[in-house]
CSV table of all heavy atoms in Angstrom, one decimal:
chain,number,residue,atom,x,y,z
I,211,GLU,N,-49.4,-29.8,-44.8
I,211,GLU,CA,-48.5,-29.4,-45.9
I,211,GLU,C,-48.7,-27.9,-46.2
I,211,GLU,O,-49.8,-27.4,-46.2
I,211,GLU,CB,-48.8,-30.2,-47.2
I,211,GLU,CG,-50.1,-30.2,-47.8
I,211,GLU,CD,-50.3,-31.1,-49.0
I,211,GLU,OE1,-49.5,-32.0,-49.2
I,211,GLU,OE2,-51.2,-30.7,-49.8
I,212,SER,N,-47.5,-27.2,-46.3
I,212,SER,CA,-47.5,-25.8,-46.5
I,212,SER,C,-48.2,-25.4,-47.8
I,212,SER,O,-48.9,-24.4,-47.8
I,212,SER,CB,-46.1,-25.3,-46.4
I,212,SER,OG,-46.0,-23.9,-46.6
I,213,ALA,N,-47.9,-26.1,-48.8
I,213,ALA,CA,-48.3,-25.7,-50.2
I,213,ALA,C,-49.8,-25.5,-50.3
I,213,ALA,O,-50.3,-24.5,-50.9
I,213,ALA,CB,-47.8,-26.6,-51.2
I,214,THR,N,-50.6,-26.4,-49.6
I,214,THR,CA,-52.1,-26.3,-49.7
I,214,THR,C,-52.7,-25.8,-48.4
I,214,THR,O,-53.8,-25.5,-48.4
I,214,THR,CB,-52.6,-27.7,-50.0
I,214,THR,OG1,-52.2,-28.6,-49.0
I,214,THR,CG2,-52.2,-28.2,-51.4
I,215,GLY,N,-51.9,-25.9,-47.3
I,215,GLY,CA,-52.4,-25.6,-46.0
I,215,GLY,C,-53.4,-26.7,-45.6
I,215,GLY,O,-54.2,-26.5,-44.6
I,216,ILE,N,-53.3,-27.9,-46.1
I,216,ILE,CA,-54.2,-28.9,-45.7
I,216,ILE,C,-53.7,-29.7,-44.5
I,216,ILE,O,-52.6,-30.1,-44.5
I,216,ILE,CB,-54.4,-30.0,-46.9
I,216,ILE,CG1,-55.2,-29.3,-48.0
I,216,ILE,CG2,-55.1,-31.2,-46.4
I,216,ILE,CD1,-56.7,-29.1,-47.8
I,217,ALA,N,-54.6,-29.8,-43.5
I,217,ALA,CA,-54.3,-30.6,-42.3
I,217,ALA,C,-55.1,-31.8,-42.3
I,217,ALA,O,-56.3,-31.8,-42.5
I,217,ALA,CB,-54.6,-29.8,-41.1
I,218,GLU,N,-54.4,-32.9,-42.2
I,218,GLU,CA,-55.1,-34.2,-42.1
I,218,GLU,C,-55.1,-34.8,-40.7
I,218,GLU,O,-54.1,-34.6,-40.0
I,218,GLU,CB,-54.4,-35.3,-43.0
I,218,GLU,CG,-54.9,-35.4,-44.4
I,218,GLU,CD,-54.2,-36.6,-45.2
I,218,GLU,OE1,-54.0,-37.6,-44.6
I,218,GLU,OE2,-53.9,-36.3,-46.3
I,219,PHE,N,-56.1,-35.5,-40.3
I,219,PHE,CA,-56.2,-36.1,-39.0
I,219,PHE,C,-56.7,-37.5,-39.1
I,219,PHE,O,-57.7,-37.7,-39.7
I,219,PHE,CB,-57.1,-35.2,-38.0
I,219,PHE,CG,-57.1,-35.8,-36.6
I,219,PHE,CD1,-56.1,-35.5,-35.7
I,219,PHE,CD2,-58.2,-36.6,-36.2
I,219,PHE,CE1,-56.2,-36.0,-34.4
I,219,PHE,CE2,-58.2,-37.1,-35.0
I,219,PHE,CZ,-57.2,-36.8,-34.0
I,220,TRP,N,-56.0,-38.5,-38.5
I,220,TRP,CA,-56.4,-39.9,-38.5
I,220,TRP,C,-56.5,-40.3,-37.1
I,220,TRP,O,-55.6,-40.1,-36.3
I,220,TRP,CB,-55.3,-40.7,-39.2
I,220,TRP,CG,-55.2,-40.4,-40.7
I,220,TRP,CD1,-54.9,-39.3,-41.3
I,220,TRP,CD2,-55.6,-41.3,-41.8
I,220,TRP,NE1,-54.9,-39.4,-42.7
I,220,TRP,CE2,-55.3,-40.7,-43.0
I,220,TRP,CE3,-56.0,-42.7,-41.8
I,220,TRP,CZ2,-55.5,-41.3,-44.2
I,220,TRP,CZ3,-56.2,-43.3,-43.0
I,220,TRP,CH2,-56.0,-42.6,-44.2
I,221,LEU,N,-57.6,-41.0,-36.8
I,221,LEU,CA,-57.7,-41.6,-35.4
I,221,LEU,C,-58.0,-43.1,-35.6
I,221,LEU,O,-58.9,-43.5,-36.3
I,221,LEU,CB,-59.0,-41.0,-34.7
I,221,LEU,CG,-59.3,-41.5,-33.4
I,221,LEU,CD1,-58.3,-41.3,-32.3
I,221,LEU,CD2,-60.7,-40.9,-32.9
I,222,ASN,N,-57.1,-43.9,-35.0
I,222,ASN,CA,-57.2,-45.3,-35.0
I,222,ASN,C,-57.4,-45.8,-36.5
I,222,ASN,O,-58.2,-46.7,-36.8
I,222,ASN,CB,-58.4,-45.8,-34.2
I,222,ASN,CG,-58.2,-45.5,-32.7
I,222,ASN,OD1,-57.0,-45.4,-32.3
I,222,ASN,ND2,-59.3,-45.4,-31.9
I,223,GLY,N,-56.5,-45.3,-37.3
I,223,GLY,CA,-56.4,-45.8,-38.7
I,223,GLY,C,-57.5,-45.2,-39.6
I,223,GLY,O,-57.6,-45.7,-40.8
I,224,LYS,N,-58.3,-44.3,-39.2
I,224,LYS,CA,-59.4,-43.8,-40.0
I,224,LYS,C,-59.2,-42.2,-40.2
I,224,LYS,O,-59.0,-41.5,-39.2
I,224,LYS,CB,-60.8,-44.0,-39.4
I,224,LYS,CG,-61.1,-45.5,-39.3
I,224,LYS,CD,-62.5,-45.8,-38.9
I,224,LYS,CE,-62.8,-47.2,-38.8
I,224,LYS,NZ,-62.1,-47.9,-37.7
I,225,PRO,N,-59.4,-41.7,-41.4
I,225,PRO,CA,-59.2,-40.3,-41.7
I,225,PRO,C,-60.5,-39.5,-41.3
I,225,PRO,O,-61.6,-40.0,-41.5
I,225,PRO,CB,-59.0,-40.2,-43.2
I,225,PRO,CG,-59.7,-41.4,-43.7
I,225,PRO,CD,-59.6,-42.5,-42.7
I,226,TRP,N,-60.3,-38.3,-40.8
I,226,TRP,CA,-61.4,-37.3,-40.5
I,226,TRP,C,-61.4,-36.4,-41.7
I,226,TRP,O,-60.4,-36.3,-42.4
I,226,TRP,CB,-61.1,-36.6,-39.2
I,226,TRP,CG,-61.9,-37.0,-38.0
I,226,TRP,CD1,-62.6,-36.2,-37.2
I,226,TRP,CD2,-62.1,-38.4,-37.5
I,226,TRP,NE1,-63.3,-37.0,-36.3
I,226,TRP,CE2,-63.0,-38.3,-36.4
I,226,TRP,CE3,-61.6,-39.7,-37.9
I,226,TRP,CZ2,-63.4,-39.4,-35.7
I,226,TRP,CZ3,-62.0,-40.7,-37.1
I,226,TRP,CH2,-62.9,-40.6,-36.0
I,227,PRO,N,-62.5,-35.6,-41.8
I,227,PRO,CA,-62.5,-34.6,-42.9
I,227,PRO,C,-61.3,-33.6,-42.7
I,227,PRO,O,-61.0,-33.2,-41.6
I,227,PRO,CB,-63.8,-33.9,-42.7
I,227,PRO,CG,-64.7,-34.8,-42.0
I,227,PRO,CD,-63.8,-35.7,-41.1
I,228,ARG,N,-60.6,-33.3,-43.9
I,228,ARG,CA,-59.5,-32.5,-43.9
I,228,ARG,C,-59.9,-31.0,-43.6
I,228,ARG,O,-61.0,-30.6,-43.9
I,228,ARG,CB,-58.7,-32.6,-45.1
I,228,ARG,CG,-58.0,-33.9,-45.2
I,228,ARG,CD,-57.4,-34.2,-46.6
I,228,ARG,NE,-58.4,-34.8,-47.5
I,228,ARG,CZ,-58.2,-35.5,-48.6
I,228,ARG,NH1,-56.9,-35.8,-48.9
I,228,ARG,NH2,-59.1,-36.0,-49.3
I,229,LYS,N,-58.9,-30.3,-43.1
I,229,LYS,CA,-59.2,-28.9,-42.8
I,229,LYS,C,-58.0,-28.0,-43.2
I,229,LYS,O,-56.9,-28.5,-43.5
I,229,LYS,CB,-59.3,-28.7,-41.3
I,229,LYS,CG,-60.4,-29.5,-40.7
I,229,LYS,CD,-61.1,-29.0,-39.4
I,229,LYS,CE,-62.3,-29.8,-39.1
I,229,LYS,NZ,-63.0,-29.3,-37.9
I,230,GLY,N,-58.2,-26.7,-43.3
I,230,GLY,CA,-57.2,-25.8,-43.8
I,230,GLY,C,-56.5,-25.0,-42.7
I,230,GLY,O,-57.2,-24.6,-41.8
I,231,LEU,N,-55.2,-24.9,-42.8
I,231,LEU,CA,-54.4,-24.3,-41.7
I,231,LEU,C,-53.1,-23.8,-42.2
I,231,LEU,O,-52.3,-24.5,-42.8
I,231,LEU,CB,-54.2,-25.4,-40.6
I,231,LEU,CG,-53.4,-25.0,-39.4
I,231,LEU,CD1,-54.1,-24.0,-38.6
I,231,LEU,CD2,-53.1,-26.3,-38.5
I,232,GLN,N,-52.8,-22.5,-42.0
I,232,GLN,CA,-51.5,-21.9,-42.2
I,232,GLN,C,-50.9,-22.2,-43.6
I,232,GLN,O,-49.7,-22.6,-43.7
I,232,GLN,CB,-50.5,-22.3,-41.1
I,232,GLN,CG,-50.9,-21.8,-39.7
I,232,GLN,CD,-50.5,-20.4,-39.5
I,232,GLN,OE1,-50.9,-19.5,-40.3
I,232,GLN,NE2,-49.7,-20.1,-38.5
I,233,ARG,N,-51.7,-21.9,-44.6
I,233,ARG,CA,-51.1,-22.2,-46.0
I,233,ARG,C,-49.9,-21.2,-46.2
I,233,ARG,O,-49.9,-20.1,-45.9
I,233,ARG,CB,-52.2,-21.8,-47.0
I,233,ARG,CG,-51.8,-22.1,-48.4
I,233,ARG,CD,-53.0,-21.9,-49.3
I,233,ARG,NE,-52.8,-22.4,-50.7
I,233,ARG,CZ,-53.8,-22.5,-51.5
I,233,ARG,NH1,-55.0,-22.3,-51.2
I,233,ARG,NH2,-53.5,-23.0,-52.8
I,234,GLY,N,-48.8,-21.8,-46.8
I,234,GLY,CA,-47.6,-21.0,-47.1
I,234,GLY,C,-46.7,-20.8,-45.9
I,234,GLY,O,-45.6,-20.2,-46.0
I,235,TYR,N,-47.0,-21.4,-44.7
I,235,TYR,CA,-46.3,-21.3,-43.5
I,235,TYR,C,-45.0,-22.2,-43.6
I,235,TYR,O,-45.0,-23.2,-44.3
I,235,TYR,CB,-47.1,-21.5,-42.3
I,235,TYR,CG,-46.4,-21.3,-40.9
I,235,TYR,CD1,-46.3,-20.0,-40.4
I,235,TYR,CD2,-45.9,-22.3,-40.2
I,235,TYR,CE1,-45.6,-19.7,-39.2
I,235,TYR,CE2,-45.3,-22.1,-39.0
I,235,TYR,CZ,-45.1,-20.8,-38.5
I,235,TYR,OH,-44.5,-20.6,-37.3
I,236,THR,N,-44.0,-21.9,-42.8
I,236,THR,CA,-42.8,-22.8,-42.7
I,236,THR,C,-42.6,-23.0,-41.2
I,236,THR,O,-42.5,-22.0,-40.4
I,236,THR,CB,-41.6,-22.1,-43.3
I,236,THR,OG1,-41.8,-22.0,-44.7
I,236,THR,CG2,-40.4,-23.1,-43.2
I,237,VAL,N,-42.4,-24.2,-40.8
I,237,VAL,CA,-42.2,-24.6,-39.4
I,237,VAL,C,-40.7,-24.5,-39.2
I,237,VAL,O,-39.9,-25.1,-39.9
I,237,VAL,CB,-42.7,-26.0,-39.1
I,237,VAL,CG1,-42.2,-26.5,-37.7
I,237,VAL,CG2,-44.2,-26.1,-39.2
I,238,GLY,N,-40.3,-23.8,-38.1
I,238,GLY,CA,-38.9,-23.5,-37.8
I,238,GLY,C,-38.1,-24.8,-37.4
I,238,GLY,O,-38.8,-25.8,-36.9
I,239,ALA,N,-36.8,-24.8,-37.6
I,239,ALA,CA,-36.0,-26.0,-37.4
I,239,ALA,C,-35.4,-26.2,-35.9
I,239,ALA,O,-35.2,-27.2,-35.5
I,239,ALA,CB,-34.9,-26.2,-38.4
I,240,GLU,N,-35.0,-25.0,-35.4
I,240,GLU,CA,-34.4,-25.1,-34.1
I,240,GLU,C,-35.4,-25.3,-33.0
I,240,GLU,O,-36.0,-24.4,-32.4
I,240,GLU,CB,-33.7,-23.7,-33.8
I,240,GLU,CG,-32.6,-23.4,-34.8
I,240,GLU,CD,-31.3,-24.1,-34.5
I,240,GLU,OE1,-30.9,-24.1,-33.3
I,240,GLU,OE2,-30.7,-24.7,-35.4
I,241,ALA,N,-35.7,-26.6,-32.7
I,241,ALA,CA,-36.9,-26.9,-31.9
I,241,ALA,C,-36.6,-27.6,-30.6
I,241,ALA,O,-35.6,-28.3,-30.5
I,241,ALA,CB,-37.8,-27.8,-32.7
I,242,ALA,N,-37.4,-27.3,-29.6
I,242,ALA,CA,-37.5,-28.2,-28.4
I,242,ALA,C,-38.7,-29.0,-28.5
I,242,ALA,O,-39.9,-28.5,-28.7
I,242,ALA,CB,-37.6,-27.3,-27.1
I,243,ILE,N,-38.6,-30.4,-28.5
I,243,ILE,CA,-39.7,-31.3,-28.7
I,243,ILE,C,-39.9,-32.0,-27.4
I,243,ILE,O,-39.1,-32.7,-26.8
I,243,ILE,CB,-39.3,-32.3,-29.8
I,243,ILE,CG1,-39.0,-31.5,-31.1
I,243,ILE,CG2,-40.5,-33.2,-30.0
I,243,ILE,CD1,-38.6,-32.4,-32.2
I,244,LEU,N,-41.2,-31.9,-26.8
I,244,LEU,CA,-41.5,-32.4,-25.6
I,244,LEU,C,-42.8,-33.3,-25.7
I,244,LEU,O,-43.7,-32.9,-26.4
I,244,LEU,CB,-41.8,-31.3,-24.5
I,244,LEU,CG,-40.7,-30.7,-23.7
I,244,LEU,CD1,-39.5,-30.2,-24.6
I,244,LEU,CD2,-41.2,-29.6,-22.8
I,245,LEU,N,-42.8,-34.4,-24.9
I,245,LEU,CA,-44.0,-35.2,-24.8
I,245,LEU,C,-44.5,-35.0,-23.4
I,245,LEU,O,-43.8,-35.0,-22.4
I,245,LEU,CB,-43.7,-36.7,-24.9
I,245,LEU,CG,-42.9,-37.0,-26.2
I,245,LEU,CD1,-42.5,-38.5,-26.2
I,245,LEU,CD2,-43.7,-36.7,-27.5
I,246,GLY,N,-45.9,-34.7,-23.2
I,246,GLY,CA,-46.5,-34.7,-21.9
I,246,GLY,C,-46.7,-33.3,-21.3
I,246,GLY,O,-47.3,-33.2,-20.3
I,247,GLN,N,-46.1,-32.3,-21.9
I,247,GLN,CA,-46.3,-30.9,-21.5
I,247,GLN,C,-46.5,-30.0,-22.7
I,247,GLN,O,-46.0,-30.3,-23.7
I,247,GLN,CB,-45.1,-30.4,-20.6
I,247,GLN,CG,-44.9,-31.1,-19.4
I,247,GLN,CD,-45.8,-30.7,-18.2
I,247,GLN,OE1,-46.7,-29.9,-18.4
I,247,GLN,NE2,-45.7,-31.4,-17.1
I,248,GLU,N,-47.2,-28.9,-22.4
I,248,GLU,CA,-47.3,-27.9,-23.5
I,248,GLU,C,-46.4,-26.7,-23.2
I,248,GLU,O,-46.4,-26.2,-22.0
I,248,GLU,CB,-48.7,-27.4,-23.5
I,248,GLU,CG,-49.0,-26.5,-24.7
I,248,GLU,CD,-49.8,-25.3,-24.5
I,248,GLU,OE1,-50.6,-25.3,-23.5
I,248,GLU,OE2,-49.6,-24.3,-25.1
I,249,GLN,N,-45.5,-26.4,-24.1
I,249,GLN,CA,-44.6,-25.3,-23.8
I,249,GLN,C,-45.2,-23.9,-24.1
I,249,GLN,O,-45.8,-23.7,-25.1
I,249,GLN,CB,-43.3,-25.5,-24.8
I,249,GLN,CG,-42.7,-26.8,-24.7
I,249,GLN,CD,-41.6,-27.0,-25.7
I,249,GLN,OE1,-40.5,-26.4,-25.6
I,249,GLN,NE2,-41.8,-27.8,-26.7
I,250,ASP,N,-45.1,-23.0,-23.1
I,250,ASP,CA,-45.4,-21.7,-23.3
I,250,ASP,C,-44.2,-20.8,-23.4
I,250,ASP,O,-44.3,-19.5,-23.6
I,250,ASP,CB,-46.3,-21.2,-22.1
I,250,ASP,CG,-47.7,-21.8,-22.2
I,250,ASP,OD1,-48.2,-22.0,-23.3
I,250,ASP,OD2,-48.3,-22.0,-21.1
I,251,ALA,N,-43.1,-21.4,-23.4
I,251,ALA,CA,-41.8,-20.8,-23.6
I,251,ALA,C,-40.9,-21.8,-24.2
I,251,ALA,O,-41.2,-23.0,-24.0
I,251,ALA,CB,-41.2,-20.1,-22.4
I,252,PHE,N,-39.8,-21.5,-24.8
I,252,PHE,CA,-38.9,-22.5,-25.4
I,252,PHE,C,-38.4,-23.4,-24.4
I,252,PHE,O,-37.6,-23.1,-23.5
I,252,PHE,CB,-37.8,-21.7,-26.2
I,252,PHE,CG,-36.9,-22.7,-27.0
I,252,PHE,CD1,-37.3,-23.2,-28.1
I,252,PHE,CD2,-35.6,-22.9,-26.5
I,252,PHE,CE1,-36.5,-24.0,-28.9
I,252,PHE,CE2,-34.8,-23.7,-27.3
I,252,PHE,CZ,-35.2,-24.3,-28.5
I,253,GLY,N,-38.8,-24.7,-24.4
I,253,GLY,CA,-38.4,-25.7,-23.5
I,253,GLY,C,-38.9,-25.6,-22.1
I,253,GLY,O,-38.5,-26.3,-21.2
I,254,GLY,N,-40.0,-24.8,-21.9
I,254,GLY,CA,-40.5,-24.6,-20.5
I,254,GLY,C,-41.8,-23.9,-20.5
I,254,GLY,O,-42.6,-23.8,-21.5
I,255,GLY,N,-42.1,-23.2,-19.4
I,255,GLY,CA,-43.3,-22.4,-19.2
I,255,GLY,C,-44.5,-23.3,-19.1
I,255,GLY,O,-45.5,-23.0,-19.8
I,256,PHE,N,-44.5,-24.3,-18.3
I,256,PHE,CA,-45.6,-25.3,-18.3
I,256,PHE,C,-46.7,-24.8,-17.4
I,256,PHE,O,-46.5,-24.2,-16.4
I,256,PHE,CB,-45.1,-26.7,-17.9
I,256,PHE,CG,-43.9,-27.2,-18.5
I,256,PHE,CD1,-42.9,-27.8,-17.8
I,256,PHE,CD2,-43.8,-27.0,-19.9
I,256,PHE,CE1,-41.7,-28.3,-18.4
I,256,PHE,CE2,-42.6,-27.5,-20.5
I,256,PHE,CZ,-41.6,-28.1,-19.8
I,257,ASP,N,-47.9,-25.3,-17.8
I,257,ASP,CA,-49.1,-25.2,-16.9
I,257,ASP,C,-49.4,-26.6,-16.6
I,257,ASP,O,-49.8,-27.4,-17.5
I,257,ASP,CB,-50.2,-24.6,-17.7
I,257,ASP,CG,-51.6,-24.6,-16.9
I,257,ASP,OD1,-51.6,-25.3,-15.9
I,257,ASP,OD2,-52.6,-24.0,-17.4
């Protein structure tokens, strides 16, 4: 969540200690969403 910058992580139904990340940030809407590769450019640039 942007307002607090709190990142939550759950593994197999159990929560891990929360961490702080990018408070006040906004995630852009025009997105390329991929499963199985990491994008190093919009929609591509895979290693």
Side-chain angles (χ1 to χ4, degrees):
E211 59 181 25
S212 176
T214 59
I216 290 286
E218 264 185 44
F219 181 82
W220 292 65
L221 176 66
N222 296 335
K224 296 187 181 66
W226 254 236
R228 287 170 275 205
K229 303 206 169 182
L231 180 65
Q232 291 285 56
R233 187 176 190 163
Y235 186 78
T236 299
V237 171
E240 299 279 312
I243 304 175
L244 270 57
L245 308 176
Q247 294 284 357
E248 189 223 331
Q249 305 175 71
D250 284 328
F252 186 70
F256 309 139
D257 172 351

